[in-house]
Amino acid sequence: MQHKRRVKELHGLIEKKGFDGILVVNPENIYYLTGAPFVIGGVGKLLYLGKGGSASLIVTDLDYEEARRRAVGVDLVRTKFGERPLERLKKIAGKKLGVEETFLSQKFYEGLKKGFIPMPLGGAIEKMREVKDEEEVASIVKAQRATERALTKAYRNFKEGMTEQEIVSEIEYHMRREGAEAYAFENLVASGPRAIYPHGMPTAKKVGGGEGVVLDLGVKMSGYCSDMTRTVFFGRPKREMVRIYEAVLEAQKAALRAARPGMTGKELDGVAREILEEKGYGKYFGHGLGHGVGIAIHEGPSVSVRGEEKLVSGNVITVEPGVYIPKLGGVRIEDMIVMTEKGSRNLTRFRKDLLVF
Amino acid sequence: MQHKRRVKELHGLIEKKGFDGILVVNPENIYYLTGAPFVIGGVGKLLYLGKGGSASLIVTDLDYEEARRRAVGVDLVRTKFGERPLERLKKIAGKKLGVEETFLSQKFYEGLKKGFIPMPLGGAIEKMREVKDEEEVASIVKAQRATERALTKAYRNFKEGMTEQEIVSEIEYHMRREGAEAYAFENLVASGPRAIYPHGMPTAKKVGGGEGVVLDLGVKMSGYCSDMTRTVFFGRPKREMVRIYEAVLEAQKAALRAARPGMTGKELDGVAREILEEKGYGKYFGHGLGHGVGIAIHEGPSVSVRGEEKLVSGNVITVEPGVYIPKLGGVRIEDMIVMTEKGSRNLTRFRKDLLVF
């Protein structure tokens, strides 16, 4: 368990920055630092790291038993029923608090000023999270393998005339039975002309006649996300869709080959973008090539035209070029890779030849 | 469609508060005001409401087609690839901007100060969202009925020895086939001693020997959430668990009978809490009685010891008392109600007698 090492690094930051302590509110960051579980959108726990190495997790009665079983390296502080965690914090914390300025709402931040002097952490915890250790990579791979086994089984039941919702029902059924504790995001099944919609939640639309279907899928295991996209066809695709598929696959493979530490996210994005531009599809690739994956489905580093930071060993990122043409359809192919000392390793082991059901 | 009425109300607020305009960033609020779709955690769209009744939705290339098809009553402003929406905003917006201070991060808010004078909206949009119109209630009911049909079908396959993940796989399979476009939250299946964990994601644990299983379930349809909890038993329950079940059900029914506009959320919480206290379970009811449900799974009004505001006609809230005893297990029973002029109407139509599989 790396939790204590991570907390220690933040205690170093307290000294360096002259804080009295650090307040952690983002449940993902609390999980990263202590192992105390969370649900998306869940709130209520506060982690306080003080000078001299103290670490206190303030939890409600309701959270206490679960936190006691799972949190590592922290003192549990149990609030009384109805007591606000911030009131308890005032009793144990110093004044000058490093806080998560990209997570806390402006209103919460203003409220903190009544008892504390909040100071931006500058994304320090999120930056630590960008570099995964072996245990984290193993969790991501475990989640990815479960998704792969589930999709393999679901493929057996795919046939023309199914609805998008029937397709996703088959996939998620097997995801759960392969061990998904949750989904990494809202699984996306978008077919035919709908495949160009970034928010194309599965509908009762039937799929067939050669339509492409974008399947963007991920689960969570041990608190870590996986992320994979495949585009498959229900019925024989049009020649133009085959051309697009081949172009996207070529762009993706080129980016996978090129990925190495020291290049920026923007440079890696450019490798795929250049190929799609050469083939005349550049203007239809309207998003970045990828993003970091970890406890959150979208985290650093950015792999897009805005990705100015250099990729480093331990980053886990997606490589997912896509082409979306109004009225015609869309194709996206996505693998996850981990950056290594000399290059990268593909964490995805799933066929990506053009499949027709 | 009520979108234009809602936007008009905010244009009134611009005049009243002396803003130059209102900037809306929260995707749920943008959906509420325009119908433009979103995914949880999705960002990138900006809605600007200006003096004199203007309404502009700034979208990326990627979002354009979907927004064009679905957004109501707004001018679409399409950014160039790589252009930041905030840069475009500067070209069309006035200086004094009403903003969502409970949604925007402190860092984003600080950044806004470089081009604007941000001023807190005071939760105005969230407050509007607390009172549902008929169309919104119909969407919530549609989502709830789909959940009910799914659980009815899943019950047919429940048997001792199943794992929590197998149980949730059956439920979600049918949820999708009944029309779920997404889940309202991470569906929870927590059995036996695990049922006391508020973040008890489904595991590979087998269920049986009279264990109680808390099923907290919801889907999204037309962008609106449903929320229902049932506790069922796998094998014949212990006498103490039956007593707890009966106490929780009695507390829930009393609260359902008592709910009427004019009482505060705290008062309604007190109705259930008093009954559980009388029966000696008060200290094991460690959360609020309920919360508002709508586009978000948790929204106003609060129905807890902190719920000081009065319930009004059109509020949709949950009524979900629970008792959780370490090592023994937990019971929670949850319906959704809509507040009416004189009382309330239960939106849930699903059996809640003690069920043994």
Side-chain angles (χ1 to χ4, degrees):
Chain A
M1 287 298 191
Q2 300 293 317
H3 298 109
K4 288 182 187 179
R5 181 189 58 75
R6 296 168 190 162
V7 167
K8 197 174 169 190
E9 194 169 327
L10 288 176
H11 277 119
L13 192 68
I14 291 171
E15 299 303 321
K16 197 176 143 192
K17 296 266 194 178
F19 298 150
D20 290 325
I22 288 176
L23 171 65
V24 188
V25 178
N26 182 343
E28 296 166 352
N29 286 342
I30 292 177
Y31 181 73
Y32 179 72
L33 295 168
T34 71
F38 69 99
V39 284
I40 290 173
V43 283
K45 288 191 193 71
L46 299 179
L47 174 64
Y48 177 70
L49 308 177
K51 270 185 183 168
S54 80
S56 306
L57 186 62
I58 304 175
V59 297
T60 63
D61 258 1
L62 191 67
D63 267 333
Y64 178 77
E65 287 296 331
E66 195 171 22
R68 191 172 63 86
R69 199 173 49 92
R70 296 186 52 189
V72 174
V74 291
D75 300 320
L76 286 184
V77 178
R78 187 175 183 167
T79 58
K80 295 193 196 78
F81 182 67
E83 183 187 21
R84 288 178 191 269
L86 265 185
E87 292 306 312
R88 180 61 69 96
L89 181 70
K90 283 179 187 163
K91 293 175 189 162
I92 64 172
K95 287 277 173 196
K96 283 170 68 177
L97 283 191
V99 300
E100 301 153 299
E101 78 282 4
T102 55
F103 178 80
L104 297 184
S105 73
Q106 193 270 341
K107 187 175 180 180
F108 189 96
Y109 193 93
E110 282 304 307
L112 274 180
K113 287 183 181 170
K114 282 170 198 157
F116 305 97
I117 306 166
M119 307 175 82
L121 271 171
I125 307 173
E126 290 76 10
K127 196 74 201 162
M128 286 166 66
R129 282 171 48 192
E130 289 186 8
V131 180
K132 273 73 181 174
D133 59 39
E134 278 180 30
E135 199 176 331
E136 293 182 284
V137 174
S139 294
I140 293 168
V141 167
K142 189 172 62 168
Q144 174 56 23
R145 291 292 169 273
T147 300
E148 292 167 2
R149 289 193 302 272
L151 189 55
T152 298
K153 289 181 180 172
Y155 273 177
R156 291 177 197 146
N157 292 322
F158 281 14
K159 54 178 179 290
E160 271 196 272
M162 287 176 88
T163 69
E164 292 172 344
Q165 285 168 346
E166 285 166 352
I167 290 169
V168 80
S169 75
E170 297 287 339
I171 298 166
E172 290 177 342
Y173 179 82
H174 291 294
M175 281 175 157
R176 287 297 196 177
R177 285 174 177 245
E178 294 295 339
E181 61 199 31
Y183 303 108
F185 50 91
E186 295 182 348
N187 290 307
L188 193 143
V189 174
S191 67
R194 293 192 72 253
I196 70 164
Y197 300 142
H199 313 301
M201 297 293 102
T203 67
K205 174 189 171 300
K206 286 189 177 173
V207 185
E211 286 181 318
V213 187
V214 174
L215 309 166
D216 196 346
L217 309 169
V219 305
K220 284 172 83 169
M221 287 174 77
S222 305
Y224 283 78
C225 298
S226 70
D227 196 358
M228 170 171 74
T229 305
R230 289 294 181 263
T231 303
V232 298
F233 295 90
F234 279 54
R236 201 173 149 212
K238 287 182 188 157
R239 185 175 291 271
E240 177 66 8
M241 287 302 289
V242 175
R243 262 201 301 267
I244 293 170
Y245 191 93
E246 287 168 353
V248 171
L249 187 56
E250 186 182 329
Q252 200 229 15
K253 285 182 173 173
L256 290 171
R257 276 192 307 271
R260 56 180 50 80
M263 71 194 298
T264 65
K266 184 176 176 172
E267 284 165 350
L268 185 54
D269 176 282
V271 172
R273 197 166 299 280
E274 194 179 310
I275 290 172
L276 291 173
E277 274 165 5
E278 276 169 17
K279 293 178 188 292
Y281 296 127
K283 65 183 265 204
Y284 301 112
F285 177 24
H287 57 72
L289 181 67
H291 54 84
V293 177
I295 296 171
I297 184 62
H298 289 131
E299 51 184 56
S302 166
V303 187
S304 74
V305 292
R306 289 180 195 156
E308 304 289 353
E309 63 180 302
K310 287 194 163 118
L311 300 173
V312 299
S313 175
N315 288 157
V316 172
I317 58 172
T318 66
V319 176
E320 48 175 317
V323 167
Y324 315 91
I325 302 185
K327 298 198 176 95
L328 183 63
V331 172
R332 181 166 67 255
I333 302 171
E334 174 186 31
D335 289 353
M336 270 187 312
I337 63 177
V338 59
M339 304 305 295
T340 58
E341 289 301 329
K342 293 190 176 166
S344 73
R345 183 160 57 89
N346 198 329
L347 302 180
T348 307
R349 288 191 195 153
F350 199 79
R351 62 186 298 181
K352 48 188 170 184
D353 53 320
L354 192 155
L355 267 180
V356 179
F357 293 101
Chain B
M1 285 298 191
Q2 301 291 320
H3 298 108
K4 288 182 186 179
R5 179 188 62 71
R6 296 168 191 162
V7 167
K8 198 173 170 191
E9 193 169 327
L10 288 177
H11 277 118
L13 192 69
I14 291 173
E15 298 303 321
K16 196 177 144 193
K17 295 268 194 176
F19 298 150
D20 290 326
I22 288 176
L23 171 65
V24 188
V25 178
N26 181 344
E28 295 166 352
N29 286 341
I30 293 178
Y31 181 74
Y32 179 72
L33 295 168
T34 73
F38 69 98
V39 283
I40 290 171
V43 284
K45 288 192 194 70
L46 299 179
L47 174 65
Y48 177 70
L49 309 177
K51 269 184 183 169
S54 79
S56 306
L57 186 63
I58 303 176
V59 297
T60 63
D61 258 2
L62 191 68
D63 267 334
Y64 178 77
E65 289 296 331
E66 195 171 20
R68 191 171 63 86
R69 199 172 52 92
R70 296 187 52 188
V72 174
V74 291
D75 301 320
L76 286 185
V77 177
R78 187 174 182 166
T79 58
K80 294 194 197 75
F81 181 68
E83 182 187 22
R84 285 177 193 269
L86 264 186
E87 291 306 312
R88 180 60 70 96
L89 181 72
K90 283 179 186 162
K91 293 175 187 160
I92 63 172
K95 287 278 172 194
K96 281 169 68 178
L97 284 190
V99 300
E100 301 152 298
E101 79 281 6
T102 54
F103 178 80
L104 297 183
S105 72
Q106 194 270 342
K107 187 175 180 180
F108 188 97
Y109 193 94
E110 281 303 306
L112 275 179
K113 287 184 180 170
K114 282 170 197 157
F116 306 97
I117 305 164
M119 307 173 81
L121 272 170
I125 308 174
E126 289 76 9
K127 197 74 201 162
M128 286 167 66
R129 282 171 49 192
E130 288 186 9
V131 180
K132 273 73 179 175
D133 59 40
E134 279 180 29
E135 198 176 332
E136 292 182 285
V137 173
S139 294
I140 293 168
V141 167
K142 189 171 61 168
Q144 174 56 24
R145 292 293 168 274
T147 300
E148 292 167 1
R149 289 193 302 272
L151 190 55
T152 299
K153 288 180 181 173
Y155 272 177
R156 290 177 197 148
N157 292 322
F158 281 14
K159 56 179 180 290
E160 271 197 273
M162 288 175 88
T163 69
E164 292 173 343
Q165 285 168 345
E166 285 166 351
I167 291 169
V168 79
S169 76
E170 297 287 338
I171 298 167
E172 290 178 342
Y173 179 82
H174 291 294
M175 282 175 157
R176 286 297 196 177
R177 286 175 177 244
E178 295 295 339
E181 61 199 31
Y183 304 108
F185 50 91
E186 295 182 348
N187 291 306
L188 193 144
V189 174
S191 67
R194 293 192 73 253
I196 70 164
Y197 300 142
H199 314 301
M201 297 293 101
T203 67
K205 175 189 172 300
K206 286 189 178 174
V207 186
E211 286 181 316
V213 187
V214 174
L215 309 166
D216 195 345
L217 309 168
V219 305
K220 284 172 82 170
M221 287 174 78
S222 305
Y224 282 79
C225 297
S226 70
D227 196 359
M228 170 171 75
T229 306
R230 290 293 180 265
T231 303
V232 298
F233 295 89
F234 278 54
R236 200 172 151 214
K238 286 183 189 158
R239 185 176 291 271
E240 176 66 8
M241 288 302 290
V242 174
R243 261 201 301 269
I244 293 170
Y245 192 92
E246 286 167 353
V248 171
L249 187 57
E250 185 182 328
Q252 200 229 15
K253 285 181 173 172
L256 290 171
R257 276 192 307 271
R260 55 180 51 82
M263 72 195 297
T264 65
K266 184 176 177 172
E267 284 166 350
L268 185 54
D269 176 281
V271 173
R273 197 166 300 280
E274 194 178 311
I275 290 172
L276 290 173
E277 275 165 6
E278 276 169 16
K279 294 179 188 292
Y281 296 127
K283 66 182 263 204
Y284 301 111
F285 176 24
H287 57 72
L289 181 67
H291 54 83
V293 177
I295 296 170
I297 184 62
H298 289 131
E299 51 184 55
S302 166
V303 187
S304 75
V305 290
R306 289 180 193 156
E308 303 290 352
E309 61 179 304
K310 287 194 162 119
L311 300 174
V312 299
S313 175
N315 289 156
V316 172
I317 58 172
T318 65
V319 176
E320 48 176 316
V323 167
Y324 315 92
I325 301 186
K327 296 196 178 99
L328 183 64
V331 171
R332 182 166 67 256
I333 303 171
E334 173 186 30
D335 289 351
M336 271 188 311
I337 62 176
V338 58
M339 303 306 295
T340 58
E341 290 301 329
K342 292 190 178 166
S344 73
R345 183 160 57 88
N346 198 329
L347 302 179
T348 306
R349 289 190 194 153
F350 198 81
R351 63 186 297 180
K352 47 189 170 184
D353 52 320
L354 191 154
L355 267 179
V356 179
F357 293 100

